Amino acid sequence: MKYCEKCGISVRGEREHCPLCNAVLHGEAEPGGFPKLPNVRREHRLWLSILALSSVAACIVCLLLNFLFRSRGLWSLFVLGGVACMWMTLGLALYKERNIPKTMVWEVFLIAVLCVLWDYFTGWRGWSINYVLPIVSMGVMVVLVFTCRLFHVAAGSLIVYLMVDALMGVVQLVLLLTGCITVPLPSLLCVGVSAVMLAAMLIFRGKKVSEELSRRFHV
Amino acid sequence: MSHPQFQWARLDTAAKIFPCTSSTKDPKVFRFVCELKEPIVPQALQQALDQTIELFPGFQTILKRGMFWYYLEQTNMRPTAHEECRPPCSVLYDRDVHTLLFDVTYYGCRVNLEVFHAISDGTGSMHFLRVLIFRYLQLVHPKELGSLPELDYDASETQSMDDSFERYANRQKKPKTEAVHRAAHLHGNKRTEGLNVVVGTAPVNDLLAYSHRCGASMTMVLCALIMQAIRSQMSVNETKKPVVLAVPVNLRNHFRSASARNFFSVMDVSYNFSKRNGSMEDILQELERQFQRGLSPEELQYRVNQYIGLIKNPFSRITPLSCKDFAMRLGYYSASQKETSAVSNVGVVHMPAALAPYIRQFAVFVSTEKLQMCSLSYENRITLSFSSAFANTDVQRCFFRSLIKEGIPVEIDTNLCDE
Ligand SMILES: [Zn+2]
């Protein structure tokens, strides 16, 4: 074993210097208990930084141009809003990157909220609740079922994600009944599909559903 | 081997703090190491692991987030023993990907068991490693060890999954304790990646003899030495504040429990170098007083109640988990401001005498955002393991040099790289 004369300590491993005082070690090396590991660094951080810088630059350019041509109105706010929305959806995807079904459910929620906000601030024409909401929530249901086959997601988690998605269907039913929706066909279709999905779950997996809920909601 | 499979379980009382305070900096993971005298055979280790997991249903679980609490769910995932490929005490619990909360790795002659603190504490995990090593050695040396009787771990399955806090909690008022407002802190550059681990090994006899000379228990002597080592690295400004060490108390020694889950509590001991003379005798005298008070029955009962009170509170129960997470993180942060470092003596590992010729030593260390020392002894070898988030090793140097000065030979091993 190697030996440090300054500390009076034996040191394992093949190091040249004492880990405590950095003096030169003497003697025969004896294998130590920790492997030498390569340093791991992430590459895609660089791409993210580039994207971040270019979006900040784009925003600044738009703001300056808007300031130059003030007569056209505050169009640069739309650009800022768009960039903010892009980063929100992207940020969420990166934050939850390792769990695809979970990411999808969250993304759908976020996109739905963002669309409603856009619609609201651009003079409420109803396109968000008429088209976007039903199409997106129907889409996610189909994709969820497929991803779960592909990525072997446990049945319990699938049940919860489908429930969340079905909740969006319920919200649309409320909107339909209160007359907020002006083009009823997409929402009607979506509510129908959600209801069938829920019924199928309760009929085929009723016990699993109730077990899963009791776990998730125990106090 | 069959045991009644549980479907899911609440986190035990003490474990509730771990999922929300776990981070990449301090993932609340600890590692037990068993070093044999011969290189590990991977196939046999895997086979031993498959047998061992059958006895510990609490380990074959994943952690999930409910509406109000985290919970453990039984899983079919099988653990695989693999070669060590990540820095010691890396993250085991990931909010988004459900994986097992422990990991068995090997490197050279060593078997490492890394465990996320939410499923078990040191005592429970030590049981696991003992059974694993026992089975492994039986598989590798069937002729010599095949006929040994089973290990002495006799808790039935319900007992090993027991939340002993619930069992021993009662309504008792808080005893008066001296409040510490802010403890001294170590400063220095933090490491960018992973922990800095320094494992020192010394003969138990020599250390015991030294403790006898001081007239104190070994834990107290170790605490005193660390306090002095920390003192030597403190800035003048910090010296005004007390050095506070957190010392985990294994509640199994004081309440009957065979739980393989968490059943421990933490007691703080402090010493103010600016108000006292800082000699070994004086520190030990002060520690003696604080240990005696900290381990008194009333104080221990209070520790059990302390956790339960929070968890049984109806308002805190129906608060959504994300709010609780935030509150617990806040509480944890303010508590950690009152501590300089932590010292835990896990105790003595007992293995059947027939295994002794094959085992060199055991060791244990934990992830930390500060500096922490864990000790563990087996036969005549005690391992004193420092894990630290700091890049320097000044406290460790002072500590080990003071042992050397007392004539106790020390050998160290570290994951630090040569510059
Ligand atoms: Zn040295």
Side-chain angles (χ1 to χ4, degrees), chain B residues 85-104:
Chain B
C85 59
R86 299 201 297 168
C89 300
S90 295
V91 177
L92 284 175
Y93 165 62
D94 183 326
R95 239 177 106 139
D96 293 318
V97 187
H98 300 306
T99 53
L100 288 174
L101 304 167
F102 75 101
D103 194 18
V104 175

mmCIF file with all atom_site columns, all heavy atoms in Angstrom, chain B residues 85-104:
data_model
loop_
_atom_site.group_PDB
_atom_site.id
_atom_site.type_symbol
_atom_site.label_atom_id
_atom_site.label_alt_id
_atom_site.label_comp_id
_atom_site.label_asym_id
_atom_site.label_entity_id
_atom_site.label_seq_id
_atom_site.pdbx_PDB_ins_code
_atom_site.Cartn_x
_atom_site.Cartn_y
_atom_site.Cartn_z
_atom_site.occupancy
_atom_site.B_iso_or_equiv
_atom_site.pdbx_formal_charge
_atom_site.auth_seq_id
_atom_site.auth_comp_id
_atom_site.auth_asym_id
_atom_site.auth_atom_id
_atom_site.pdbx_PDB_model_num
ATOM 1   N N   . CYS B 1 85  ? -21.012 2.046  -12.307 1.00 0.00 ? 85  CYS B N   1
ATOM 2   C CA  . CYS B 1 85  ? -20.776 2.891  -13.467 1.00 0.00 ? 85  CYS B CA  1
ATOM 3   C C   . CYS B 1 85  ? -21.165 4.337  -13.221 1.00 0.00 ? 85  CYS B C   1
ATOM 4   O O   . CYS B 1 85  ? -21.039 5.181  -14.100 1.00 0.00 ? 85  CYS B O   1
ATOM 5   C CB  . CYS B 1 85  ? -21.544 2.346  -14.673 1.00 0.00 ? 85  CYS B CB  1
ATOM 6   S SG  . CYS B 1 85  ? -23.311 2.271  -14.371 1.00 0.00 ? 85  CYS B SG  1
ATOM 7   N N   . ARG B 1 86  ? -21.646 4.668  -12.024 1.00 0.00 ? 86  ARG B N   1
ATOM 8   C CA  . ARG B 1 86  ? -22.024 6.044  -11.718 1.00 0.00 ? 86  ARG B CA  1
ATOM 9   C C   . ARG B 1 86  ? -21.290 6.493  -10.463 1.00 0.00 ? 86  ARG B C   1
ATOM 10  O O   . ARG B 1 86  ? -20.853 5.659  -9.672  1.00 0.00 ? 86  ARG B O   1
ATOM 11  C CB  . ARG B 1 86  ? -23.535 6.134  -11.475 1.00 0.00 ? 86  ARG B CB  1
ATOM 12  C CG  . ARG B 1 86  ? -24.354 5.728  -12.686 1.00 0.00 ? 86  ARG B CG  1
ATOM 13  C CD  . ARG B 1 86  ? -25.757 6.281  -12.654 1.00 0.00 ? 86  ARG B CD  1
ATOM 14  N NE  . ARG B 1 86  ? -26.538 5.784  -11.529 1.00 0.00 ? 86  ARG B NE  1
ATOM 15  C CZ  . ARG B 1 86  ? -27.702 6.293  -11.174 1.00 0.00 ? 86  ARG B CZ  1
ATOM 16  N NH1 . ARG B 1 86  ? -28.204 7.307  -11.846 1.00 0.00 ? 86  ARG B NH1 1
ATOM 17  N NH2 . ARG B 1 86  ? -28.369 5.792  -10.153 1.00 0.00 ? 86  ARG B NH2 1
ATOM 18  N N   . PRO B 1 87  ? -21.178 7.800  -10.246 1.00 0.00 ? 87  PRO B N   1
ATOM 19  C CA  . PRO B 1 87  ? -20.540 8.255  -9.010  1.00 0.00 ? 87  PRO B CA  1
ATOM 20  C C   . PRO B 1 87  ? -21.291 7.735  -7.791  1.00 0.00 ? 87  PRO B C   1
ATOM 21  O O   . PRO B 1 87  ? -22.486 7.458  -7.884  1.00 0.00 ? 87  PRO B O   1
ATOM 22  C CB  . PRO B 1 87  ? -20.668 9.785  -9.090  1.00 0.00 ? 87  PRO B CB  1
ATOM 23  C CG  . PRO B 1 87  ? -20.883 10.084 -10.521 1.00 0.00 ? 87  PRO B CG  1
ATOM 24  C CD  . PRO B 1 87  ? -21.597 8.904  -11.105 1.00 0.00 ? 87  PRO B CD  1
ATOM 25  N N   . PRO B 1 88  ? -20.601 7.567  -6.664  1.00 0.00 ? 88  PRO B N   1
ATOM 26  C CA  . PRO B 1 88  ? -21.271 7.034  -5.468  1.00 0.00 ? 88  PRO B CA  1
ATOM 27  C C   . PRO B 1 88  ? -22.472 7.882  -5.062  1.00 0.00 ? 88  PRO B C   1
ATOM 28  O O   . PRO B 1 88  ? -22.443 9.104  -5.168  1.00 0.00 ? 88  PRO B O   1
ATOM 29  C CB  . PRO B 1 88  ? -20.174 7.078  -4.390  1.00 0.00 ? 88  PRO B CB  1
ATOM 30  C CG  . PRO B 1 88  ? -19.021 7.776  -4.966  1.00 0.00 ? 88  PRO B CG  1
ATOM 31  C CD  . PRO B 1 88  ? -19.168 7.808  -6.434  1.00 0.00 ? 88  PRO B CD  1
ATOM 32  N N   . CYS B 1 89  ? -23.531 7.212  -4.609  1.00 0.00 ? 89  CYS B N   1
ATOM 33  C CA  . CYS B 1 89  ? -24.758 7.865  -4.146  1.00 0.00 ? 89  CYS B CA  1
ATOM 34  C C   . CYS B 1 89  ? -25.380 8.775  -5.197  1.00 0.00 ? 89  CYS B C   1
ATOM 35  O O   . CYS B 1 89  ? -25.728 9.931  -4.931  1.00 0.00 ? 89  CYS B O   1
ATOM 36  C CB  . CYS B 1 89  ? -24.516 8.648  -2.862  1.00 0.00 ? 89  CYS B CB  1
ATOM 37  S SG  . CYS B 1 89  ? -23.947 7.631  -1.516  1.00 0.00 ? 89  CYS B SG  1
ATOM 38  N N   . SER B 1 90  ? -25.513 8.261  -6.428  1.00 0.00 ? 90  SER B N   1
ATOM 39  C CA  . SER B 1 90  ? -26.215 9.019  -7.469  1.00 0.00 ? 90  SER B CA  1
ATOM 40  C C   . SER B 1 90  ? -27.720 8.905  -7.257  1.00 0.00 ? 90  SER B C   1
ATOM 41  O O   . SER B 1 90  ? -28.179 8.089  -6.467  1.00 0.00 ? 90  SER B O   1
ATOM 42  C CB  . SER B 1 90  ? -25.863 8.478  -8.852  1.00 0.00 ? 90  SER B CB  1
ATOM 43  O OG  . SER B 1 90  ? -24.505 8.688  -9.120  1.00 0.00 ? 90  SER B OG  1
ATOM 44  N N   . VAL B 1 91  ? -28.469 9.702  -8.004  1.00 0.00 ? 91  VAL B N   1
ATOM 45  C CA  . VAL B 1 91  ? -29.926 9.740  -7.864  1.00 0.00 ? 91  VAL B CA  1
ATOM 46  C C   . VAL B 1 91  ? -30.545 8.367  -8.124  1.00 0.00 ? 91  VAL B C   1
ATOM 47  O O   . VAL B 1 91  ? -30.194 7.699  -9.090  1.00 0.00 ? 91  VAL B O   1
ATOM 48  C CB  . VAL B 1 91  ? -30.517 10.750 -8.863  1.00 0.00 ? 91  VAL B CB  1
ATOM 49  C CG1 . VAL B 1 91  ? -32.028 10.749 -8.788  1.00 0.00 ? 91  VAL B CG1 1
ATOM 50  C CG2 . VAL B 1 91  ? -29.967 12.141 -8.600  1.00 0.00 ? 91  VAL B CG2 1
ATOM 51  N N   . LEU B 1 92  ? -31.445 7.947  -7.258  1.00 0.00 ? 92  LEU B N   1
ATOM 52  C CA  . LEU B 1 92  ? -32.177 6.696  -7.487  1.00 0.00 ? 92  LEU B CA  1
ATOM 53  C C   . LEU B 1 92  ? -33.656 6.961  -7.733  1.00 0.00 ? 92  LEU B C   1
ATOM 54  O O   . LEU B 1 92  ? -34.321 6.208  -8.415  1.00 0.00 ? 92  LEU B O   1
ATOM 55  C CB  . LEU B 1 92  ? -32.036 5.764  -6.286  1.00 0.00 ? 92  LEU B CB  1
ATOM 56  C CG  . LEU B 1 92  ? -30.715 5.037  -6.127  1.00 0.00 ? 92  LEU B CG  1
ATOM 57  C CD1 . LEU B 1 92  ? -30.712 4.251  -4.828  1.00 0.00 ? 92  LEU B CD1 1
ATOM 58  C CD2 . LEU B 1 92  ? -30.468 4.096  -7.287  1.00 0.00 ? 92  LEU B CD2 1
ATOM 59  N N   . TYR B 1 93  ? -34.159 8.032  -7.132  1.00 0.00 ? 93  TYR B N   1
ATOM 60  C CA  . TYR B 1 93  ? -35.580 8.328  -7.306  1.00 0.00 ? 93  TYR B CA  1
ATOM 61  C C   . TYR B 1 93  ? -35.755 9.439  -8.323  1.00 0.00 ? 93  TYR B C   1
ATOM 62  O O   . TYR B 1 93  ? -35.199 10.520 -8.188  1.00 0.00 ? 93  TYR B O   1
ATOM 63  C CB  . TYR B 1 93  ? -36.198 8.740  -5.969  1.00 0.00 ? 93  TYR B CB  1
ATOM 64  C CG  . TYR B 1 93  ? -37.546 9.408  -6.110  1.00 0.00 ? 93  TYR B CG  1
ATOM 65  C CD1 . TYR B 1 93  ? -38.610 8.696  -6.662  1.00 0.00 ? 93  TYR B CD1 1
ATOM 66  C CD2 . TYR B 1 93  ? -37.747 10.725 -5.738  1.00 0.00 ? 93  TYR B CD2 1
ATOM 67  C CE1 . TYR B 1 93  ? -39.838 9.294  -6.816  1.00 0.00 ? 93  TYR B CE1 1
ATOM 68  C CE2 . TYR B 1 93  ? -38.971 11.333 -5.880  1.00 0.00 ? 93  TYR B CE2 1
ATOM 69  C CZ  . TYR B 1 93  ? -40.023 10.611 -6.425  1.00 0.00 ? 93  TYR B CZ  1
ATOM 70  O OH  . TYR B 1 93  ? -41.238 11.214 -6.586  1.00 0.00 ? 93  TYR B OH  1
ATOM 71  N N   . ASP B 1 94  ? -36.514 9.153  -9.352  1.00 0.00 ? 94  ASP B N   1
ATOM 72  C CA  . ASP B 1 94  ? -36.797 10.133 -10.386 1.00 0.00 ? 94  ASP B CA  1
ATOM 73  C C   . ASP B 1 94  ? -38.307 10.262 -10.458 1.00 0.00 ? 94  ASP B C   1
ATOM 74  O O   . ASP B 1 94  ? -39.021 9.283  -10.611 1.00 0.00 ? 94  ASP B O   1
ATOM 75  C CB  . ASP B 1 94  ? -36.235 9.627  -11.722 1.00 0.00 ? 94  ASP B CB  1
ATOM 76  C CG  . ASP B 1 94  ? -36.434 10.624 -12.839 1.00 0.00 ? 94  ASP B CG  1
ATOM 77  O OD1 . ASP B 1 94  ? -37.463 11.333 -12.839 1.00 0.00 ? 94  ASP B OD1 1
ATOM 78  O OD2 . ASP B 1 94  ? -35.567 10.678 -13.734 1.00 0.00 ? 94  ASP B OD2 1
ATOM 79  N N   . ARG B 1 95  ? -38.789 11.495 -10.274 1.00 0.00 ? 95  ARG B N   1
ATOM 80  C CA  . ARG B 1 95  ? -40.219 11.764 -10.278 1.00 0.00 ? 95  ARG B CA  1
ATOM 81  C C   . ARG B 1 95  ? -40.930 11.242 -11.514 1.00 0.00 ? 95  ARG B C   1
ATOM 82  O O   . ARG B 1 95  ? -42.091 10.868 -11.466 1.00 0.00 ? 95  ARG B O   1
ATOM 83  C CB  . ARG B 1 95  ? -40.374 13.273 -10.281 1.00 0.00 ? 95  ARG B CB  1
ATOM 84  C CG  . ARG B 1 95  ? -41.126 13.838 -9.156  1.00 0.00 ? 95  ARG B CG  1
ATOM 85  C CD  . ARG B 1 95  ? -41.087 15.325 -9.313  1.00 0.00 ? 95  ARG B CD  1
ATOM 86  N NE  . ARG B 1 95  ? -42.388 15.742 -9.764  1.00 0.00 ? 95  ARG B NE  1
ATOM 87  C CZ  . ARG B 1 95  ? -42.994 16.837 -9.299  1.00 0.00 ? 95  ARG B CZ  1
ATOM 88  N NH1 . ARG B 1 95  ? -42.407 17.585 -8.419  1.00 0.00 ? 95  ARG B NH1 1
ATOM 89  N NH2 . ARG B 1 95  ? -44.187 17.158 -9.729  1.00 0.00 ? 95  ARG B NH2 1
ATOM 90  N N   . ASP B 1 96  ? -40.249 11.257 -12.638 1.00 0.00 ? 96  ASP B N   1
ATOM 91  C CA  . ASP B 1 96  ? -40.926 10.982 -13.903 1.00 0.00 ? 96  ASP B CA  1
ATOM 92  C C   . ASP B 1 96  ? -40.758 9.557  -14.404 1.00 0.00 ? 96  ASP B C   1
ATOM 93  O O   . ASP B 1 96  ? -41.516 9.103  -15.233 1.00 0.00 ? 96  ASP B O   1
ATOM 94  C CB  . ASP B 1 96  ? -40.434 11.947 -14.976 1.00 0.00 ? 96  ASP B CB  1
ATOM 95  C CG  . ASP B 1 96  ? -40.861 13.356 -14.653 1.00 0.00 ? 96  ASP B CG  1
ATOM 96  O OD1 . ASP B 1 96  ? -42.012 13.514 -14.224 1.00 0.00 ? 96  ASP B OD1 1
ATOM 97  O OD2 . ASP B 1 96  ? -40.049 14.277 -14.798 1.00 0.00 ? 96  ASP B OD2 1
ATOM 98  N N   . VAL B 1 97  ? -39.727 8.892  -13.946 1.00 0.00 ? 97  VAL B N   1
ATOM 99  C CA  . VAL B 1 97  ? -39.519 7.525  -14.396 1.00 0.00 ? 97  VAL B CA  1
ATOM 100 C C   . VAL B 1 97  ? -39.520 6.620  -13.181 1.00 0.00 ? 97  VAL B C   1
ATOM 101 O O   . VAL B 1 97  ? -38.783 6.851  -12.233 1.00 0.00 ? 97  VAL B O   1
ATOM 102 C CB  . VAL B 1 97  ? -38.174 7.381  -15.136 1.00 0.00 ? 97  VAL B CB  1
ATOM 103 C CG1 . VAL B 1 97  ? -38.071 6.000  -15.731 1.00 0.00 ? 97  VAL B CG1 1
ATOM 104 C CG2 . VAL B 1 97  ? -38.049 8.442  -16.204 1.00 0.00 ? 97  VAL B CG2 1
ATOM 105 N N   . HIS B 1 98  ? -40.392 5.624  -13.193 1.00 0.00 ? 98  HIS B N   1
ATOM 106 C CA  . HIS B 1 98  ? -40.470 4.746  -12.044 1.00 0.00 ? 98  HIS B CA  1
ATOM 107 C C   . HIS B 1 98  ? -39.421 3.656  -12.149 1.00 0.00 ? 98  HIS B C   1
ATOM 108 O O   . HIS B 1 98  ? -39.447 2.845  -13.065 1.00 0.00 ? 98  HIS B O   1
ATOM 109 C CB  . HIS B 1 98  ? -41.864 4.131  -11.937 1.00 0.00 ? 98  HIS B CB  1
ATOM 110 C CG  . HIS B 1 98  ? -42.918 5.180  -11.781 1.00 0.00 ? 98  HIS B CG  1
ATOM 111 N ND1 . HIS B 1 98  ? -42.850 6.124  -10.780 1.00 0.00 ? 98  HIS B ND1 1
ATOM 112 C CD2 . HIS B 1 98  ? -44.025 5.456  -12.492 1.00 0.00 ? 98  HIS B CD2 1
ATOM 113 C CE1 . HIS B 1 98  ? -43.886 6.922  -10.882 1.00 0.00 ? 98  HIS B CE1 1
ATOM 114 N NE2 . HIS B 1 98  ? -44.614 6.544  -11.919 1.00 0.00 ? 98  HIS B NE2 1
ATOM 115 N N   . THR B 1 99  ? -38.509 3.653  -11.205 1.00 0.00 ? 99  THR B N   1
ATOM 116 C CA  . THR B 1 99  ? -37.488 2.611  -11.147 1.00 0.00 ? 99  THR B CA  1
ATOM 117 C C   . THR B 1 99  ? -37.430 2.104  -9.722  1.00 0.00 ? 99  THR B C   1
ATOM 118 O O   . THR B 1 99  ? -37.981 2.710  -8.817  1.00 0.00 ? 99  THR B O   1
ATOM 119 C CB  . THR B 1 99  ? -36.102 3.164  -11.511 1.00 0.00 ? 99  THR B CB  1
ATOM 120 O OG1 . THR B 1 99  ? -35.838 4.294  -10.678 1.00 0.00 ? 99  THR B OG1 1
ATOM 121 C CG2 . THR B 1 99  ? -36.036 3.580  -12.958 1.00 0.00 ? 99  THR B CG2 1
ATOM 122 N N   . LEU B 1 100 ? -36.731 0.991  -9.527  1.00 0.00 ? 100 LEU B N   1
ATOM 123 C CA  . LEU B 1 100 ? -36.542 0.493  -8.168  1.00 0.00 ? 100 LEU B CA  1
ATOM 124 C C   . LEU B 1 100 ? -35.744 1.522  -7.379  1.00 0.00 ? 100 LEU B C   1
ATOM 125 O O   . LEU B 1 100 ? -34.971 2.292  -7.945  1.00 0.00 ? 100 LEU B O   1
ATOM 126 C CB  . LEU B 1 100 ? -35.787 -0.838 -8.208  1.00 0.00 ? 100 LEU B CB  1
ATOM 127 C CG  . LEU B 1 100 ? -36.580 -2.031 -8.728  1.00 0.00 ? 100 LEU B CG  1
ATOM 128 C CD1 . LEU B 1 100 ? -35.677 -3.236 -8.841  1.00 0.00 ? 100 LEU B CD1 1
ATOM 129 C CD2 . LEU B 1 100 ? -37.751 -2.345 -7.817  1.00 0.00 ? 100 LEU B CD2 1
ATOM 130 N N   . LEU B 1 101 ? -35.920 1.526  -6.074  1.00 0.00 ? 101 LEU B N   1
ATOM 131 C CA  . LEU B 1 101 ? -35.319 2.577  -5.260  1.00 0.00 ? 101 LEU B CA  1
ATOM 132 C C   . LEU B 1 101 ? -34.033 2.116  -4.578  1.00 0.00 ? 101 LEU B C   1
ATOM 133 O O   . LEU B 1 101 ? -33.566 2.727  -3.634  1.00 0.00 ? 101 LEU B O   1
ATOM 134 C CB  . LEU B 1 101 ? -36.339 3.063  -4.226  1.00 0.00 ? 101 LEU B CB  1
ATOM 135 C CG  . LEU B 1 101 ? -37.639 3.551  -4.876  1.00 0.00 ? 101 LEU B CG  1
ATOM 136 C CD1 . LEU B 1 101 ? -38.719 3.731  -3.843  1.00 0.00 ? 101 LEU B CD1 1
ATOM 137 C CD2 . LEU B 1 101 ? -37.406 4.845  -5.635  1.00 0.00 ? 101 LEU B CD2 1
ATOM 138 N N   . PHE B 1 102 ? -33.483 1.020  -5.073  1.00 0.00 ? 102 PHE B N   1
ATOM 139 C CA  . PHE B 1 102 ? -32.168 0.613  -4.580  1.00 0.00 ? 102 PHE B CA  1
ATOM 140 C C   . PHE B 1 102 ? -31.397 0.018  -5.743  1.00 0.00 ? 102 PHE B C   1
ATOM 141 O O   . PHE B 1 102 ? -31.962 -0.277 -6.796  1.00 0.00 ? 102 PHE B O   1
ATOM 142 C CB  . PHE B 1 102 ? -32.298 -0.384 -3.427  1.00 0.00 ? 102 PHE B CB  1
ATOM 143 C CG  . PHE B 1 102 ? -32.697 -1.763 -3.871  1.00 0.00 ? 102 PHE B CG  1
ATOM 144 C CD1 . PHE B 1 102 ? -31.747 -2.760 -3.988  1.00 0.00 ? 102 PHE B CD1 1
ATOM 145 C CD2 . PHE B 1 102 ? -34.009 -2.055 -4.173  1.00 0.00 ? 102 PHE B CD2 1
ATOM 146 C CE1 . PHE B 1 102 ? -32.108 -4.034 -4.403  1.00 0.00 ? 102 PHE B CE1 1
ATOM 147 C CE2 . PHE B 1 102 ? -34.381 -3.314 -4.593  1.00 0.00 ? 102 PHE B CE2 1
ATOM 148 C CZ  . PHE B 1 102 ? -33.429 -4.304 -4.710  1.00 0.00 ? 102 PHE B CZ  1
ATOM 149 N N   . ASP B 1 103 ? -30.100 -0.132 -5.554  1.00 0.00 ? 103 ASP B N   1
ATOM 150 C CA  . ASP B 1 103 ? -29.255 -0.585 -6.647  1.00 0.00 ? 103 ASP B CA  1
ATOM 151 C C   . ASP B 1 103 ? -28.114 -1.413 -6.060  1.00 0.00 ? 103 ASP B C   1
ATOM 152 O O   . ASP B 1 103 ? -27.521 -1.034 -5.052  1.00 0.00 ? 103 ASP B O   1
ATOM 153 C CB  . ASP B 1 103 ? -28.694 0.655  -7.374  1.00 0.00 ? 103 ASP B CB  1
ATOM 154 C CG  . ASP B 1 103 ? -28.100 0.291  -8.715  1.00 0.00 ? 103 ASP B CG  1
ATOM 155 O OD1 . ASP B 1 103 ? -28.412 -0.805 -9.217  1.00 0.00 ? 103 ASP B OD1 1
ATOM 156 O OD2 . ASP B 1 103 ? -27.323 1.094  -9.255  1.00 0.00 ? 103 ASP B OD2 1
ATOM 157 N N   . VAL B 1 104 ? -27.845 -2.555 -6.678  1.00 0.00 ? 104 VAL B N   1
ATOM 158 C CA  . VAL B 1 104 ? -26.718 -3.373 -6.230  1.00 0.00 ? 104 VAL B CA  1
ATOM 159 C C   . VAL B 1 104 ? -25.654 -3.359 -7.309  1.00 0.00 ? 104 VAL B C   1
ATOM 160 O O   . VAL B 1 104 ? -25.932 -3.692 -8.461  1.00 0.00 ? 104 VAL B O   1
ATOM 161 C CB  . VAL B 1 104 ? -27.163 -4.828 -5.941  1.00 0.00 ? 104 VAL B CB  1
ATOM 162 C CG1 . VAL B 1 104 ? -25.961 -5.698 -5.603  1.00 0.00 ? 104 VAL B CG1 1
ATOM 163 C CG2 . VAL B 1 104 ? -28.162 -4.857 -4.802  1.00 0.00 ? 104 VAL B CG2 1
#
